[in-house]
């Protein structure tokens, strides 16, 4: 039987796997959830017994089809909740993640279906990530970090981290939000700043921040 804690683990595994190519180390999982490795290991054992995850040859965690279905379901509810909170209740995009974490475990399938209809079947959350559809399908999109954009290349922001409220407020102040048009002007050597324009306005950011901003390519 699924519980909020199990759903949180599956959600975390899914997101980390998307970043790292399908498999997640237990230590990385523990770090992302702010837990000790022994605590994460114990839950991972439970998830394996329930059929939600398996291990690859490197003893990394891999979602099974069942686990992916469960993870995608909770992510869909989470991102629909974020859209509702920002679009209809007036929450700022840096406020909605924690609220959606609470709501995602309480939304029933019936409420989920009506909420999606009410919102007009949105395709992305406020932070730019795809919202899985009712069948669990996730739109294929090609992302790369802003650090991989070459000088004179023009791109659009695809997605930004959703969990760091302070970072989101800073990005909003810069205009680095989904769909914003960016042109990289210059990349300073030795880890120096990246000079760019954001919707035509000049700005400079460090490589650590740029690595957290994802842009779409190959469209």
């Amino acid at each position: 039987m699924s519980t909020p804690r199990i759903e949180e683990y599956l959600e975390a595994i899914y997101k980390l796997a998307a970043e790292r190519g399908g498999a997640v180390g237990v230590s990385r999982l523990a770090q992302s959830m702010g837990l000790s490795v022994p605590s994460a290991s114990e839950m991972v054992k439970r998830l394996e017994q329930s059929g939600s995850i398996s291990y690859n040859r490197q003893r990394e965690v891999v979602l099974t089809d069942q686990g992916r279905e469960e993870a995608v379901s909770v992510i869909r509810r989470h991102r629909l909740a974020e859209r509702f909170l920002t679009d209809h209740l007036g929450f700022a995009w840096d406020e909605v993640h924690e609220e959606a974490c609470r709501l995602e475990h309480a939304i029933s399938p019936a409420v989920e279906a009506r909420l999606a209809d009410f919102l007009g079947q949105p395709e992305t959350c406020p932070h730019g990530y795809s919202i899985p559809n009712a069948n669990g399908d996730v739109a294929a999109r090609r992302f790369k970090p802003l650090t991989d954009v070459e000088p004179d290349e023009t791109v659009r922001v695809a997605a930004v981290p959703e969990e760091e409220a302070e970072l989101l407020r800073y990005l909003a102040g810069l205009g680095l939000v989904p769909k914003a048009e960016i042109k990289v002007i210059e990349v300073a050597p030795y880890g120096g700043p990246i000079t760019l324009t954001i919707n035509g306005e000049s700005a400079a950011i460090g490589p650590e921040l740029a690595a957290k901003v994802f842009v779409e390519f190959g469209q």
Side-chain angles (χ1 to χ4, degrees), residues 8-9 11-41 44 58-61 161 163-164 212 214:
E8 287 167 5
Y9 268 88
E11 184 179 12
I13 293 167
Y14 180 92
K15 290 178 179 179
L16 290 170
E19 293 175 4
R20 295 166 182 270
V24 180
V26 174
S27 61
R28 180 69 185 92
L29 175 62
Q31 181 184 11
S32 74
M33 300 189 72
L35 300 170
S36 68
V37 172
S39 294
S41 297
V44 165
Q58 289 73 42
R59 296 298 293 172
E60 296 171 314
V61 175
E163 299 177 4
E164 301 178 53
K212 297 182 177 183
F214 292 92

Side-chain angles (χ1 to χ4, degrees), residues 83 93 123-130 141 143 157-160 178 216:
R83 277 260 76 106
W93 76 333
E123 296 181 354
T124 61
C125 76
H127 311 103
Y129 296 99
S130 296
R141 299 166 67 196
F143 289 2
V157 176
V160 297
E216 293 210 52

Side-chain angles (χ1 to χ4, degrees), residues 49 57 148 159:
Q49 291 168 358
R57 291 182 178 179
D148 287 355

Side-chain angles (χ1 to χ4, degrees), residues 2-15 29 32-33 35 43 47 70-71 74 101-102 104-105:
S2 185
T3 67
R5 198 60 176 152
I6 287 173
E7 290 181 342
E8 287 167 5
Y9 268 88
L10 293 173
E11 184 179 12
I13 293 167
Y14 180 92
K15 290 178 179 179
L29 175 62
S32 74
M33 300 189 72
L35 300 170
M43 177 58 81
L47 294 175
E70 293 171 311
V74 70
C101 282
R102 299 182 184 97
E104 67 189 21
H105 308 299

